[in-house]
Amino acid sequence: MVQAPTLSNLTAARDAYYERLRPRSLAPLWEVLSDIVTPTPRTEAVPAAWSFSAVRPLLLEAGDLITAAEAERRVLILENPALAGQARITQSLYAGLQLVLPGEVAPAHRHTQNALRLIMDGDSAFTAVHGERAYMHKHDLILTPSWLWHDHGNETEEPIIWLDGLDIPLVQMLDASFAEHRADRGAWPPTRPAGDAGHRWGKNLRPARTTQTQAEGNPLLIYPFEEWRETLDVLSRADDPHPHDAHLLEFTNPADGGAVMSTMSAFARLVPAGFITAPMRSTDGMIHVVIEGRGELTVDGQAFALSPGEILVSPSWAERSFRADSDLVLFSYSDRAAQQKLALWREALL
Ligand code: GTQ
């Protein structure tokens, strides 16, 4: 008669079996199933916040240590504290603060990663896409979609600093990264005169005989702050605030009305003074930048004070709620565009 295995015998037998599997590149699903197919998202990313005023002097120090040309991009990465060393603020997205000093050029390159920029400080430096310059003003949103040549330059007397939002970790996870550099490691030759403000892209107009460099993606390169701020005011006068969103606009690609880029969505929000948004969750971890006002963001019970220049991350499926003590204006971006294309995006309005 076969003896029923004891528990310790069984554990030992299983362990011995697993040992034999490992060199054959096999693994037992039942040991990991509940960790990899979870009932709800279980991100390693944690809620966190950075103050622009605290990072700015550290970034300026980098200005003494390395040139923009040598660094290629002189950026301090905002790393999620739970994902240190991984160059990511959420599992899928990257955030960094980039400095270009007066007279410097961040040389032209292109990569499959999509990038958006939100200007934090400085005025009238430029991002060029195929040599088409967009002059950047505080809180403008600038796009450099996948595989378009871009460089940055600063011909002003002031340093310029902006927030870079890229889909670097997502592209890394998909193993789909390609990048190229100009042979001379310089800027793309300007394709139109300096001083011809990039705002014309923001107004959906271009000189008829210029090449439309963005034809395959979003034809808009720049969303000027004065326009998106004014649109928030128009929305707030027209509508009552949504209980969960307050007043929320999505930046759109005018070619199709969809998200600004193939993987990333960007939003502008106004929470009126005294308003508290009802708690909600969404599968897209979000990066928020406070533009105006004061209040509080609560993420999974953790409270973060909000004031201009705060940059915060609310990870996937964290319960989040905004409180506005004065009219609060925020810019946010996330991977919602990618998740919606994959039919994975969900939210829970609590
Ligand atoms: O400006 O192209 O923060 O390629 C990271 C990677 C900025 C850029 C970043 C990049 C860039």
Side-chain angles (χ1 to χ4, degrees):
M1 198 173 98
V2 178
Q3 193 77 35
T6 64
L7 193 58
S8 66
N9 277 348
L10 188 56
T11 304
R14 285 179 181 171
D15 285 346
Y17 169 64
Y18 299 164
E19 283 298 317
R20 286 165 47 224
L21 293 177
R22 205 167 296 132
R24 293 173 170 81
S25 300
L26 294 167
L29 172 64
W30 57 89
E31 290 288 335
V32 296
L33 180 57
S34 64
D35 291 329
I36 59 176
V37 180
T38 59
T40 54
R42 209 184 281 167
T43 183
E44 284 175 36
V46 293
W50 295 258
S51 297
F52 178 66
S53 60
V55 179
R56 189 178 187 279
L58 289 166
L59 187 54
L60 289 171
E61 263 188 67
D64 295 331
L65 296 172
I66 190 162
T67 65
E70 188 186 357
E72 186 164 332
R73 295 295 184 265
R74 189 201 289 113
V75 180
L76 290 180
I77 306 168
L78 306 182
E79 284 195 329
N80 193 287
L83 304 170
Q86 296 184 38
R88 63 188 67 190
I89 189 162
T90 67
Q91 286 288 10
S92 62
L93 294 182
Y94 161 103
L97 286 166
Q98 177 159 180
L99 168 67
V100 182
L101 290 171
E104 282 191 325
V105 165
H109 68 188
R110 63 175 177 174
H111 39 69
T112 46
Q113 291 82 358
N114 289 282
L116 59 80
R117 339 261 172 198
L118 185 78
I119 311 313
M120 301 295 291
D121 199 16
D123 199 46
S124 290
F126 65 84
T127 287
V129 171
H130 284 256
E132 292 275 351
R133 291 179 174 188
Y135 287 87
M136 307 182 286
H137 308 284
K138 199 164 176 180
H139 300 144
D140 288 352
L141 171 65
I142 313 279
L143 307 181
T144 47
S146 179
W147 208 238
L148 295 179
W149 287 101
H150 56 285
D151 54 81
H152 312 290
N154 184 353
E155 297 167 335
T156 77
E157 306 292 312
E158 304 289 332
I160 186 159
I161 301 176
W162 63 80
L163 179 76
D164 283 320
L166 287 91
D167 51 9
I168 292 172
L170 179 65
V171 173
Q172 190 178 2
M173 200 260 275
L174 298 171
D175 282 335
S177 177
F178 291 88
E180 289 178 355
H181 304 87
R182 269 180 72 86
D184 62 4
R185 300 232 155 225
W188 197 273
T191 49
R192 59 190 167 93
D196 176 10
H199 279 76
R200 74 160 194 246
W201 292 99
K203 304 212 188 290
N204 284 327
L205 294 166
R206 69 180 166 85
R209 290 185 188 276
T210 55
T211 35
Q212 190 176 5
T213 52
Q214 305 240 323
E216 289 161 37
N218 187 340
L220 266 185
L221 181 62
I222 183 164
Y223 298 74
F225 174 62
E226 61 187 57
E227 291 181 14
W228 69 259
R229 182 67 186 83
E230 167 63 17
T231 310
L232 269 182
D233 273 340
V234 170
L235 177 70
S236 71
R237 286 195 296 266
D239 279 354
D240 290 332
H242 182 277
H244 295 84
D245 297 340
H247 299 289
L248 185 64
L249 290 169
E250 179 170 359
F251 291 89
T252 59
N253 177 346
D256 61 7
V260 282
M261 286 185 291
S262 59
T263 55
M264 290 189 285
S265 304
F267 305 92
R269 187 191 310 264
L270 172 63
V271 189
F275 196 80
I276 301 176
T277 64
M280 64 173 291
R281 304 175 187 274
S282 61
T283 50
D284 53 327
M286 301 193 91
I287 296 88
H288 310 282
V289 184
V290 182
I291 306 296
E292 294 171 16
R294 290 181 188 273
E296 193 172 79
L297 169 62
T298 305
V299 187
D300 277 344
Q302 215 177 319
F304 294 91
L306 300 180
S307 61
E310 286 296 299
I311 304 169
L312 307 102
V313 56
S314 54
S316 168
W317 216 242
E319 188 177 316
R320 63 177 190 264
S321 166
F322 292 98
R323 187 193 79 211
D325 298 334
S326 54
D327 281 1
L328 199 53
V329 174
L330 297 129
F331 168 83
S332 308
Y333 70 97
S334 79
D335 64 7
R336 189 174 305 187
Q339 291 203 32
Q340 288 182 329
K341 286 191 180 73
L342 299 171
L344 291 171
W345 185 79
R346 288 197 199 191
E347 65 177 357
L349 303 179
L350 307 171

